[in-house]
Amino acid sequence: MQLIECPWCGPREEIEFSYGGEAHVPYPAEPAALDDTEWAHYVFFRSNTKGLFAERWVHSVGCRRWFNALRDTVTYRFAAVYPIGGTVPALATGEAAASDAPDSTSLLSAEFESAAR
């Protein structure tokens, strides 16, 4: 059983938590102005990073609070946890934080358009 560090409750078994998807996905500034393709990219398209990835989690059986986590998708190990709205922790390993990555929505839009041709 893996232990996940809740920022408020401390380490708990993973069974107490629920995954909430990719963290730091910005809501569109003008959602009504988006066409169907742009809206679909916002709702459904996410990066599928191999390695360090910023995710949202909820402590569903404990305090029921949401938080962000940096997790390695290869090893499943959590590198850091931090409250939503908090700053992304700098890691001692020197790996780039997820917020330093390019916007996945714009990358996927370009990929989708080139595939549609």
Side-chain angles (χ1 to χ4, degrees):
M1 180 70 51
Q2 181 171 348
L3 292 179
I4 298 175
E5 179 89 22
C6 174
W8 296 275
C9 304
R12 300 290 192 267
E13 293 183 3
E14 68 179 314
I15 194 90
E16 293 187 15
F17 297 88
S18 296
Y19 178 75
E22 183 176 353
H24 310 293
V25 177
Y27 191 76
E30 295 184 42
L34 299 180
D35 64 22
D36 289 345
T37 302
E38 293 169 324
W39 189 251
H41 283 163
Y42 167 72
V43 173
F44 300 111
F45 284 62
R46 297 291 181 259
S47 57
N48 188 15
T49 304
K50 181 178 182 180
L52 199 61
F53 189 58
E55 304 172 324
R56 294 171 16 134
W57 287 81
V58 62
H59 191 182
S60 50
V61 177
C63 63
R64 298 183 185 205
R65 294 177 76 177
W66 285 88
F67 62 93
N68 290 329
L70 292 178
R71 184 178 66 88
D72 189 317
T73 60
V74 176
T75 64
Y76 298 103
R77 292 188 181 173
F78 284 77
V81 295
Y82 55 101
I84 289 183
T87 57
V88 178
L91 301 177
T93 61
E95 295 180 39
S99 63
D100 295 337
D103 178 23
S104 62
T105 306
S106 60
L107 290 175
L108 291 170
S109 295
E111 183 179 312
F112 180 77
E113 289 170 7
S114 65
R117 291 182 202 164

